[in-house]
Amino acid sequence: MAFAQSLTKIVAGKKAEIGDREKLADKWRDYEEKLLDEAIVLFKARCTREAEQQKCEATVSFEVITREIASFPKRVLTDSTYFVDTWPAGVSAESWFYATRGLQSSYTAGSPILFAEVLQAMLPKFVDRVKDLGFIDWKHEAGTWKVFVKWADPDETEKKKRRRD
């Protein structure tokens, strides 16, 4: 085999490797969408409880919500640091790694994944979904897992309406 042919073979092998990584990454992305769907359902329930208490705002921890999602990756505390202990069926550390760090990076089997990294990668996507729920104010509290939202106070809405009339 000529040298150029061996190079062609290397390129083909690398392209196949990247294709395999993309399939793995897609598994995590699809799974992550389902986790985010569940997180939003729980978030809405928390906001509803606050509204039932006649409040017009809520501060909800994304991290606490994830604890209530049975199919969320499980964490374990090791030397004061939380790592992902178990991944749900169908996804793996490798699929998460390629979805979040890119296909060009190389995953080393057995490498521990920080639980905070999983949360941090999902948090902006969660906040984007919260934005779409129609709150009059929302923000991620920097340096925390907390998301603050505010909705219209019916008394204030009525006062504004009377002023216009």
Side-chain angles (χ1 to χ4, degrees):
M1 174 170 26
F3 180 68
Q5 286 177 316
S6 68
L7 295 177
T8 300
K9 199 172 190 176
I10 290 171
V11 170
K14 285 295 178 185
K15 283 185 177 187
E17 186 178 304
I18 296 296
D20 291 344
R21 289 178 181 178
E22 184 67 45
K23 288 176 188 169
L24 284 170
D26 285 343
K27 284 183 181 183
W28 173 255
R29 288 184 199 111
D30 291 344
Y31 196 81
E32 181 182 53
E33 288 297 314
K34 293 173 187 162
L35 293 174
L36 289 167
D37 289 344
E38 287 186 59
I40 288 296
V41 167
L42 292 168
F43 180 82
K44 287 178 177 180
R46 293 270 169 80
C47 292
T48 300
R49 277 191 293 229
E50 293 299 310
E52 288 168 349
Q53 297 295 317
Q54 299 180 24
K55 296 179 183 175
C56 295
E57 61 184 42
T59 301
V60 180
S61 169
F62 177 64
E63 185 271 330
V64 171
I65 285 176
T66 65
R67 290 186 217 166
E68 296 179 33
I69 301 172
S71 56
F72 205 84
K74 302 301 177 218
R75 65 186 184 168
V76 64
L77 183 62
T78 306
D79 298 327
S80 304
T81 304
Y82 283 101
F83 293 95
V84 176
D85 183 37
T86 56
W87 295 89
V91 295
S92 63
E94 188 176 18
S95 62
W96 175 86
F97 181 91
Y98 291 126
T100 56
R101 297 208 184 143
L103 306 176
Q104 300 301 324
S105 301
S106 291
Y107 175 73
T108 304
S111 295
I113 304 293
L114 290 170
F115 189 75
E117 281 188 85
V118 174
L119 293 175
Q120 192 61 46
M122 291 180 71
L123 185 59
K125 297 168 190 171
F126 177 75
V127 171
D128 284 343
R129 288 181 178 214
V130 167
K131 286 182 208 176
D132 294 339
L133 296 177
F135 294 105
I136 59 173
D137 192 17
W138 57 265
K139 68 179 176 185
H140 165 236
E141 294 182 8
T144 73
W145 303 118
K146 294 178 181 177
V147 177
F148 167 82
V149 293
K150 186 174 183 176
W151 51 93
D153 182 331
D155 294 338
E156 292 298 316
T157 305
E158 187 60 33
K159 286 177 191 175
K160 286 180 184 178
K161 186 178 178 183
R162 277 192 236 143
R163 281 188 220 144
R164 282 189 243 146
D165 292 343

